[in-house]
Amino acid sequence: MLKRQNPSTPEHRRDLAAHGGALSMSLNDSRSFFNLSQLVLSAGQIKPSPALKHSKITYFEVEIVDVQSKKQICIVDKVPPASTLLDVKHKFHKACPQWYPSRVGLQLERNGPFLKDSVSIQSLAVSSIVTLYFTDLGQQVGWTTFFLTEYTGPLLIYLLFYIRLSTIYDQVESRKNFRHPVVHLACFCHCLHYIRHLLETLFVHKFSEGHTPLKNMIKGCAFYWGFTSWIAYYINHPRYTPPSFGHKQVSYAALAFLMCEAGNHFINVALAHQTNSGNRTCFPSPTYNPFTWLFLLVSCPNYTYEAGSWISFTVMTQTLPVGIFAFLMVIQMSLWAQKKHRLYLKRFYPEVRRKAAMIPIIF
Protein backbone atom coordinates (compact mmCIF):
# COMPACT_ATOMS: atom_id res chain seq x y z
CA MET A 1 0.00 0.00 0.00
CA LEU A 2 1.09 3.34 -0.76
CA LYS A 3 1.00 5.98 1.96
CA ARG A 4 -0.69 9.32 1.25
CA GLN A 5 1.78 12.13 1.53
CA ASN A 6 1.02 14.48 4.36
CA PRO A 7 0.62 17.94 2.98
CA SER A 8 1.62 19.49 6.27
CA THR A 9 5.14 18.27 6.14
CA PRO A 10 7.86 20.85 6.43
CA GLU A 11 9.12 20.31 2.91
CA HIS A 12 5.69 20.89 1.48
CA ARG A 13 5.20 24.02 3.47
CA ARG A 14 8.50 25.38 2.22
CA ASP A 15 7.52 24.74 -1.38
CA LEU A 16 4.17 26.45 -0.96
CA ALA A 17 5.78 29.38 0.71
CA ALA A 18 8.31 29.78 -2.03
CA HIS A 19 5.69 29.47 -4.75
CA GLY A 20 3.33 31.89 -2.97
CA GLY A 21 6.12 34.44 -2.46
CA ALA A 22 7.10 34.36 -6.10
CA LEU A 23 3.49 34.75 -7.11
CA SER A 24 2.98 37.70 -4.76
CA MET A 25 6.12 39.41 -6.09
CA SER A 26 4.98 39.03 -9.68
CA LEU A 27 1.57 40.42 -8.81
CA ASN A 28 3.15 43.40 -7.03
CA ASP A 29 5.40 44.09 -10.02
CA SER A 30 2.45 43.97 -12.36
CA ARG A 31 0.47 46.35 -10.19
CA SER A 32 3.43 48.74 -9.90
CA PHE A 33 3.97 48.78 -13.66
CA PHE A 34 0.25 49.29 -14.22
CA ASN A 35 0.14 52.19 -11.78
CA LEU A 36 3.21 53.75 -13.40
CA SER A 37 1.63 53.42 -16.82
CA GLN A 38 -1.56 55.04 -15.62
CA LEU A 39 0.44 57.88 -14.10
CA VAL A 40 2.31 58.51 -17.33
CA LEU A 41 -0.86 58.42 -19.40
CA SER A 42 -2.65 60.81 -17.05
CA ALA A 43 0.28 63.25 -16.89
CA GLY A 44 0.71 63.45 -20.64
CA GLN A 45 3.90 63.36 -22.63
CA ILE A 46 7.01 63.81 -20.61
CA LYS A 47 8.66 67.07 -21.68
CA PRO A 48 12.28 67.71 -21.10
CA SER A 49 13.09 70.67 -18.87
CA PRO A 50 13.62 73.77 -21.00
CA ALA A 51 17.21 74.75 -21.41
CA LEU A 52 18.21 78.24 -20.31
CA LYS A 53 18.54 80.55 -23.28
CA HIS A 54 21.37 82.99 -23.02
CA SER A 55 20.77 86.15 -25.09
CA LYS A 56 23.86 86.97 -27.05
CA ILE A 57 24.39 90.68 -27.66
CA THR A 58 26.66 91.66 -30.52
CA TYR A 59 28.92 94.58 -29.70
CA PHE A 60 30.62 96.77 -32.25
CA GLU A 61 34.10 98.19 -32.33
CA VAL A 62 34.36 101.73 -33.65
CA GLU A 63 37.71 102.65 -35.11
CA ILE A 64 38.42 106.40 -35.10
CA VAL A 65 40.83 107.42 -37.88
CA ASP A 66 42.27 110.88 -38.54
CA VAL A 67 40.88 112.21 -41.80
CA GLN A 68 44.15 113.85 -42.84
CA SER A 69 46.89 111.40 -41.83
CA LYS A 70 44.67 108.28 -42.02
CA LYS A 71 46.26 107.14 -38.75
CA GLN A 72 44.23 105.37 -36.12
CA ILE A 73 43.51 107.56 -33.10
CA CYS A 74 41.73 105.05 -30.89
CA ILE A 75 39.24 102.17 -30.87
CA VAL A 76 35.99 102.46 -28.97
CA ASP A 77 35.08 98.90 -28.06
CA LYS A 78 31.95 97.24 -26.68
CA VAL A 79 29.53 99.61 -28.34
CA PRO A 80 25.92 98.30 -28.12
CA PRO A 81 23.89 98.26 -31.34
CA ALA A 82 21.38 100.76 -29.97
CA SER A 83 24.08 103.35 -29.29
CA THR A 84 24.06 106.60 -31.22
CA LEU A 85 26.93 108.57 -32.61
CA LEU A 86 26.68 110.92 -29.63
CA ASP A 87 27.35 107.98 -27.29
CA VAL A 88 30.45 107.14 -29.32
CA LYS A 89 31.59 110.76 -29.07
CA HIS A 90 31.27 110.67 -25.29
CA LYS A 91 33.35 107.49 -25.10
CA PHE A 92 35.85 109.01 -27.49
CA HIS A 93 36.03 112.07 -25.22
CA LYS A 94 36.90 109.83 -22.27
CA ALA A 95 39.74 108.30 -24.25
CA CYS A 96 40.89 111.66 -25.66
CA PRO A 97 39.81 114.44 -23.22
CA GLN A 98 41.13 117.24 -25.45
CA TRP A 99 38.24 116.68 -27.90
CA TYR A 100 34.83 117.18 -26.36
CA PRO A 101 31.76 115.82 -28.21
CA SER A 102 30.64 119.07 -29.88
CA ARG A 103 34.12 119.54 -31.32
CA VAL A 104 34.23 116.08 -32.91
CA GLY A 105 33.14 115.67 -36.52
CA LEU A 106 32.74 112.07 -37.71
CA GLN A 107 32.35 110.93 -41.31
CA LEU A 108 31.69 107.54 -42.79
CA GLU A 109 33.83 108.46 -45.79
CA ARG A 110 36.71 110.89 -46.01
CA ASN A 111 34.89 113.27 -48.36
CA GLY A 112 31.42 112.49 -47.07
CA PRO A 113 29.15 114.71 -44.95
CA PHE A 114 29.40 114.87 -41.18
CA LEU A 115 27.11 112.38 -39.49
CA LYS A 116 24.39 113.57 -37.12
CA ASP A 117 24.57 112.70 -33.44
CA SER A 118 21.25 110.86 -33.62
CA VAL A 119 22.49 108.26 -36.15
CA SER A 120 22.63 104.75 -34.67
CA ILE A 121 25.79 102.69 -34.94
CA GLN A 122 23.84 99.67 -36.14
CA SER A 123 22.68 101.59 -39.24
CA LEU A 124 26.29 102.33 -40.16
CA ALA A 125 27.73 98.88 -39.48
CA VAL A 126 28.58 96.49 -42.28
CA SER A 127 30.62 94.24 -39.99
CA SER A 128 31.48 94.21 -36.32
CA ILE A 129 34.11 96.91 -36.91
CA VAL A 130 32.96 100.40 -37.94
CA THR A 131 35.55 102.84 -39.25
CA LEU A 132 34.82 106.55 -38.84
CA TYR A 133 36.96 109.49 -39.93
CA PHE A 134 37.61 112.20 -37.37
CA THR A 135 37.80 115.95 -38.02
CA ASP A 136 38.50 118.57 -35.39
CA LEU A 137 35.74 121.14 -35.82
CA GLY A 138 37.44 123.64 -33.53
CA GLN A 139 35.95 125.37 -30.52
CA GLN A 140 32.17 125.25 -30.62
CA VAL A 141 29.30 127.26 -29.12
CA GLY A 142 25.63 126.41 -28.80
CA TRP A 143 23.05 128.03 -31.05
CA THR A 144 21.31 129.75 -28.14
CA THR A 145 24.58 131.30 -27.01
CA PHE A 146 25.32 132.27 -30.61
CA PHE A 147 22.08 134.22 -31.13
CA LEU A 148 21.96 135.77 -27.65
CA THR A 149 25.47 137.14 -28.09
CA GLU A 150 24.78 138.31 -31.62
CA TYR A 151 21.58 140.18 -30.69
CA THR A 152 22.55 141.56 -27.29
CA GLY A 153 25.45 143.56 -28.74
CA PRO A 154 23.39 145.75 -31.12
CA LEU A 155 20.85 146.48 -28.39
CA LEU A 156 23.46 147.79 -25.94
CA ILE A 157 25.64 149.50 -28.55
CA TYR A 158 22.75 151.54 -29.94
CA LEU A 159 21.77 152.71 -26.45
CA LEU A 160 25.33 153.90 -25.81
CA PHE A 161 25.14 156.12 -28.87
CA TYR A 162 21.61 157.23 -28.02
CA ILE A 163 22.63 158.68 -24.66
CA ARG A 164 25.42 160.55 -26.48
CA LEU A 165 28.46 159.67 -24.41
CA SER A 166 31.07 162.37 -24.07
CA THR A 167 33.66 160.02 -25.55
CA ILE A 168 31.62 159.79 -28.77
CA TYR A 169 30.06 163.20 -29.34
CA ASP A 170 30.95 166.74 -28.35
CA GLN A 171 28.87 167.59 -25.30
CA VAL A 172 28.53 171.29 -26.11
CA GLU A 173 27.18 170.49 -29.56
CA SER A 174 24.93 167.76 -28.16
CA ARG A 175 23.27 170.14 -25.68
CA LYS A 176 22.91 172.89 -28.26
CA ASN A 177 21.21 170.91 -31.01
CA PHE A 178 17.59 169.82 -30.66
CA ARG A 179 16.77 166.13 -31.21
CA HIS A 180 14.22 165.44 -33.88
CA PRO A 181 11.39 163.07 -32.83
CA VAL A 182 12.51 160.53 -35.43
CA VAL A 183 15.69 159.99 -33.38
CA HIS A 184 13.66 158.79 -30.39
CA LEU A 185 11.37 156.75 -32.66
CA ALA A 186 14.36 155.11 -34.35
CA CYS A 187 15.81 154.14 -30.97
CA PHE A 188 12.48 152.59 -29.96
CA CYS A 189 12.15 150.62 -33.21
CA HIS A 190 15.75 149.43 -33.18
CA CYS A 191 15.51 148.23 -29.57
CA LEU A 192 12.13 146.61 -30.25
CA HIS A 193 13.62 144.66 -33.14
CA TYR A 194 16.45 143.13 -31.14
CA ILE A 195 14.39 142.60 -27.98
CA ARG A 196 11.98 140.58 -30.11
CA HIS A 197 14.88 138.51 -31.43
CA LEU A 198 16.16 137.86 -27.91
CA LEU A 199 12.76 136.83 -26.55
CA GLU A 200 12.10 134.55 -29.51
CA THR A 201 15.51 132.94 -29.04
CA LEU A 202 14.67 132.15 -25.43
CA PHE A 203 10.98 131.22 -25.66
CA VAL A 204 9.94 130.55 -29.28
CA HIS A 205 12.70 128.97 -31.32
CA LYS A 206 13.60 125.34 -30.69
CA PHE A 207 17.11 124.75 -31.88
CA SER A 208 18.11 121.34 -33.15
CA GLU A 209 21.11 119.36 -32.07
CA GLY A 210 24.55 120.59 -32.92
CA HIS A 211 26.77 123.56 -32.45
CA THR A 212 28.51 126.11 -34.59
CA PRO A 213 32.19 127.05 -34.66
CA LEU A 214 33.23 129.96 -32.50
CA LYS A 215 34.65 131.74 -35.55
CA ASN A 216 31.14 131.93 -37.05
CA MET A 217 29.88 133.71 -33.95
CA ILE A 218 32.81 136.12 -34.11
CA LYS A 219 32.05 136.93 -37.76
CA GLY A 220 28.34 137.38 -37.04
CA CYS A 221 29.01 139.65 -34.08
CA ALA A 222 31.51 141.69 -36.08
CA PHE A 223 28.90 142.21 -38.82
CA TYR A 224 25.95 143.13 -36.57
CA TRP A 225 27.91 145.08 -33.97
CA GLY A 226 29.93 146.97 -36.55
CA PHE A 227 26.93 148.05 -38.60
CA THR A 228 25.00 148.98 -35.46
CA SER A 229 27.81 151.29 -34.40
CA TRP A 230 27.85 152.92 -37.81
CA ILE A 231 24.04 153.26 -37.95
CA ALA A 232 23.70 154.56 -34.39
CA TYR A 233 26.49 157.08 -34.82
CA TYR A 234 24.74 158.79 -37.75
CA ILE A 235 21.19 158.69 -36.42
CA ASN A 236 22.10 160.00 -32.95
CA HIS A 237 24.61 162.56 -34.18
CA PRO A 238 23.84 166.15 -33.12
CA ARG A 239 23.92 167.23 -36.77
CA TYR A 240 21.54 164.54 -37.98
CA THR A 241 19.03 165.85 -40.52
CA PRO A 242 15.45 164.49 -40.53
CA PRO A 243 13.86 162.79 -43.58
CA SER A 244 13.03 164.88 -46.62
CA PHE A 245 9.24 164.38 -46.56
CA GLY A 246 8.93 165.05 -42.89
CA HIS A 247 6.24 163.63 -40.64
CA LYS A 248 4.37 161.63 -43.29
CA GLN A 249 7.47 159.74 -44.36
CA VAL A 250 8.36 158.92 -40.76
CA SER A 251 4.82 157.89 -39.81
CA TYR A 252 4.16 155.60 -42.75
CA ALA A 253 7.59 153.99 -42.50
CA ALA A 254 7.21 153.46 -38.76
CA LEU A 255 3.79 151.85 -39.29
CA ALA A 256 5.23 149.54 -41.95
CA PHE A 257 8.10 148.66 -39.61
CA LEU A 258 5.75 147.70 -36.78
CA MET A 259 3.59 145.61 -39.11
CA CYS A 260 6.64 143.73 -40.41
CA GLU A 261 7.85 143.10 -36.86
CA ALA A 262 4.45 141.74 -35.86
CA GLY A 263 4.28 139.57 -38.98
CA ASN A 264 7.77 138.20 -38.39
CA HIS A 265 6.83 137.25 -34.83
CA PHE A 266 3.61 135.49 -35.79
CA ILE A 267 5.35 133.56 -38.58
CA ASN A 268 8.05 132.38 -36.16
CA VAL A 269 5.40 131.30 -33.68
CA ALA A 270 3.57 129.36 -36.41
CA LEU A 271 6.76 127.61 -37.50
CA ALA A 272 7.69 126.80 -33.92
CA HIS A 273 4.20 125.41 -33.24
CA GLN A 274 4.51 123.16 -36.28
CA THR A 275 7.87 121.82 -35.03
CA ASN A 276 6.66 121.25 -31.49
CA SER A 277 3.50 119.44 -32.54
CA GLY A 278 5.46 117.10 -34.76
CA ASN A 279 3.14 117.65 -37.73
CA ARG A 280 5.65 118.05 -40.55
CA THR A 281 3.69 116.16 -43.17
CA CYS A 282 2.39 119.31 -44.84
CA PHE A 283 3.55 122.85 -45.43
CA PRO A 284 2.40 125.43 -42.84
CA SER A 285 -0.94 126.82 -43.87
CA PRO A 286 -2.33 130.30 -43.13
CA THR A 287 -4.54 130.68 -40.06
CA TYR A 288 -7.15 133.24 -39.06
CA ASN A 289 -4.24 135.60 -38.28
CA PRO A 290 -3.84 137.93 -41.29
CA PHE A 291 -0.08 138.08 -40.79
CA THR A 292 0.16 134.40 -41.70
CA TRP A 293 -1.61 134.84 -45.03
CA LEU A 294 1.76 135.53 -46.62
CA PHE A 295 2.22 131.74 -46.62
CA LEU A 296 -0.05 131.75 -49.68
CA LEU A 297 2.54 133.62 -51.74
CA VAL A 298 5.99 132.73 -50.41
CA SER A 299 7.54 129.78 -48.64
CA CYS A 300 9.73 131.84 -46.27
CA PRO A 301 7.57 134.77 -45.09
CA ASN A 302 9.76 135.32 -42.02
CA TYR A 303 12.57 136.51 -44.30
CA THR A 304 10.09 138.67 -46.21
CA TYR A 305 9.02 140.44 -43.03
CA GLU A 306 12.63 140.79 -41.87
CA ALA A 307 13.61 142.46 -45.12
CA GLY A 308 10.53 144.69 -44.89
CA SER A 309 11.54 145.81 -41.40
CA TRP A 310 14.95 147.03 -42.49
CA ILE A 311 13.64 148.67 -45.66
CA SER A 312 11.06 150.53 -43.57
CA PHE A 313 13.72 151.54 -41.07
CA THR A 314 15.80 152.89 -43.96
CA VAL A 315 12.91 155.02 -45.22
CA MET A 316 12.10 156.22 -41.71
CA THR A 317 15.63 157.39 -40.86
CA GLN A 318 16.85 158.17 -44.40
CA THR A 319 20.50 157.41 -43.66
CA LEU A 320 23.08 155.80 -45.91
CA PRO A 321 24.44 153.27 -43.35
CA VAL A 322 20.95 151.86 -42.78
CA GLY A 323 20.39 151.58 -46.52
CA ILE A 324 23.63 149.67 -47.04
CA PHE A 325 22.82 147.36 -44.12
CA ALA A 326 19.30 146.74 -45.46
CA PHE A 327 20.68 145.99 -48.93
CA LEU A 328 23.13 143.40 -47.56
CA MET A 329 20.44 141.85 -45.36
CA VAL A 330 18.07 141.46 -48.32
CA ILE A 331 20.77 139.69 -50.32
CA GLN A 332 21.71 137.39 -47.44
CA MET A 333 18.11 136.52 -46.58
CA SER A 334 17.26 135.86 -50.22
CA LEU A 335 20.08 133.29 -50.31
CA TRP A 336 18.81 131.68 -47.11
CA ALA A 337 15.26 131.70 -48.47
CA GLN A 338 16.23 130.04 -51.75
CA LYS A 339 18.15 127.34 -49.91
CA LYS A 340 15.21 126.64 -47.62
CA HIS A 341 12.81 126.80 -50.57
CA ARG A 342 14.70 123.98 -52.30
CA LEU A 343 14.36 121.87 -49.16
CA TYR A 344 10.64 122.63 -49.04
CA LEU A 345 10.27 121.56 -52.68
CA LYS A 346 11.71 118.14 -51.85
CA ARG A 347 9.49 117.71 -48.80
CA PHE A 348 6.27 119.56 -49.65
CA TYR A 349 6.30 119.67 -53.46
CA PRO A 350 2.54 119.95 -54.17
CA GLU A 351 2.08 122.81 -51.68
CA VAL A 352 5.25 124.80 -52.45
CA ARG A 353 5.70 124.45 -56.21
CA ARG A 354 3.63 127.55 -57.03
CA LYS A 355 5.18 129.75 -54.31
CA ALA A 356 8.17 132.07 -54.46
CA ALA A 357 11.02 131.82 -52.00
CA MET A 358 10.93 135.22 -50.28
CA ILE A 359 9.52 137.97 -52.51
CA PRO A 360 6.64 137.12 -54.89
CA ILE A 361 7.65 136.83 -58.56
CA ILE A 362 11.18 138.18 -57.97
CA PHE A 363 12.71 135.48 -55.72
Side-chain angles (χ1 to χ4, degrees):
M1 283 180 67
L2 295 175
K3 292 182 179 181
R4 183 180 300 174
Q5 188 177 2
N6 190 0
S8 60
T9 59
E11 293 81 0
H12 184 68
R13 285 196 297 271
R14 284 196 299 270
D15 294 339
L16 290 175
H19 180 71
L23 183 60
S24 62
M25 289 178 62
S26 63
L27 291 175
N28 289 335
D29 292 342
S30 300
R31 290 172 182 172
S32 299
F33 180 76
F34 178 77
N35 293 334
L36 180 62
S37 302
Q38 292 296 324
L39 180 63
V40 170
L41 291 175
S42 62
Q45 185 178 0
I46 298 177
K47 297 181 179 179
S49 59
L52 294 177
K53 297 182 179 179
H54 300 281
S55 58
K56 185 178 180 181
I57 301 177
T58 303
Y59 291 97
F60 294 100
E61 290 185 357
V62 180
E63 180 187 20
I64 309 295
V65 179
D66 185 75
V67 71
Q68 298 294 337
S69 62
K70 299 181 183 180
K71 294 181 179 180
Q72 183 188 98
I73 301 177
C74 74
I75 293 180
V76 181
D77 57 352
K78 293 185 178 180
V79 179
S83 298
T84 61
L85 206 65
L86 183 60
D87 300 329
V88 175
K89 288 183 178 181
H90 282 292
K91 293 184 178 181
F92 178 59
H93 174 58
K94 292 181 179 179
C96 304
Q98 67 270 29
W99 293 309
Y100 49 90
S102 62
R103 188 168 182 166
V104 176
L106 296 177
Q107 303 162 272
L108 194 60
E109 299 176 355
R110 289 189 63 194
N111 298 325
F114 290 108
L115 300 173
K116 294 184 179 180
D117 291 343
S118 58
V119 175
S120 64
I121 296 298
Q122 192 172 13
S123 64
L124 303 175
V126 180
S127 62
S128 59
I129 300 178
V130 181
T131 302
L132 297 176
Y133 294 93
F134 161 76
T135 301
D136 184 9
L137 300 177
Q139 193 170 357
Q140 304 285 303
V141 293
W143 284 110
T144 302
T145 304
F146 176 88
F147 288 114
L148 290 179
T149 306
E150 193 175 65
Y151 296 144
T152 303
L155 178 64
L156 300 178
I157 290 172
Y158 197 96
L159 291 176
L160 292 177
F161 283 90
Y162 176 74
I163 61 178
R164 291 183 175 178
L165 295 176
S166 59
T167 56
I168 303 175
Y169 302 110
D170 181 71
Q171 292 300 304
V172 177
E173 192 176 12
S174 299
R175 287 192 296 268
K176 183 175 60 175
N177 292 337
F178 171 75
R179 289 198 186 190
H180 194 274
V182 70
V183 175
H184 305 290
L185 182 61
C187 180
F188 169 78
C189 292
H190 191 275
C191 293
L192 177 66
H193 177 79
Y194 284 101
I195 289 174
R196 178 184 63 81
H197 273 303
L198 290 172
L199 293 178
E200 288 178 351
T201 301
L202 293 174
F203 304 109
V204 177
H205 298 300
K206 301 298 180 182
F207 300 104
S208 59
E209 61 180 30
H211 300 74
T212 185
L214 179 62
K215 61 181 181 181
N216 289 347
M217 188 180 75
I218 295 176
K219 290 190 294 184
C221 291
F223 177 78
Y224 279 97
W225 296 13
F227 263 103
T228 300
S229 301
W230 192 23
I231 291 170
Y233 176 79
Y234 275 87
I235 295 178
N236 297 285
H237 199 279
R239 298 182 181 179
Y240 168 76
T241 55
S244 303
F245 296 96
H247 179 71
K248 288 185 177 181
Q249 179 178 344
V250 174
S251 300
Y252 290 140
L255 180 61
F257 178 88
L258 295 176
M259 291 181 62
C260 289
E261 287 294 304
N264 201 341
H265 172 70
F266 288 120
I267 292 296
N268 289 332
V269 170
L271 294 174
H273 177 72
Q274 182 206 18
T275 304
N276 295 339
S277 62
N279 183 18
R280 302 184 66 86
T281 58
C282 58
F283 186 77
S285 57
T287 63
Y288 61 89
N289 190 338
F291 290 102
T292 62
W293 294 351
L294 199 57
F295 273 122
L296 296 172
L297 302 176
V298 296
S299 59
C300 302
N302 52 329
Y303 295 138
T304 307
Y305 282 122
E306 184 78 8
S309 295
W310 286 113
I311 294 174
S312 303
F313 194 78
T314 303
V315 175
M316 181 178 65
T317 57
Q318 195 174 313
T319 54
L320 179 63
V322 182
I324 296 175
F325 181 75
F327 176 73
L328 295 177
M329 288 296 292
V330 169
I331 293 177
Q332 180 61 69
M333 284 183 291
S334 66
L335 296 176
W336 289 341
Q338 291 176 31
K339 181 179 179 181
K340 187 174 289 187
H341 184 72
R342 286 192 291 268
L343 295 176
Y344 284 154
L345 286 175
K346 295 179 181 179
R347 187 177 302 175
F348 313 113
Y349 176 74
E351 297 92 343
V352 183
R353 64 188 179 92
R354 294 184 180 275
K355 293 180 173 59
M358 188 180 81
I359 300 177
I361 301 173
I362 299 177
F363 294 108

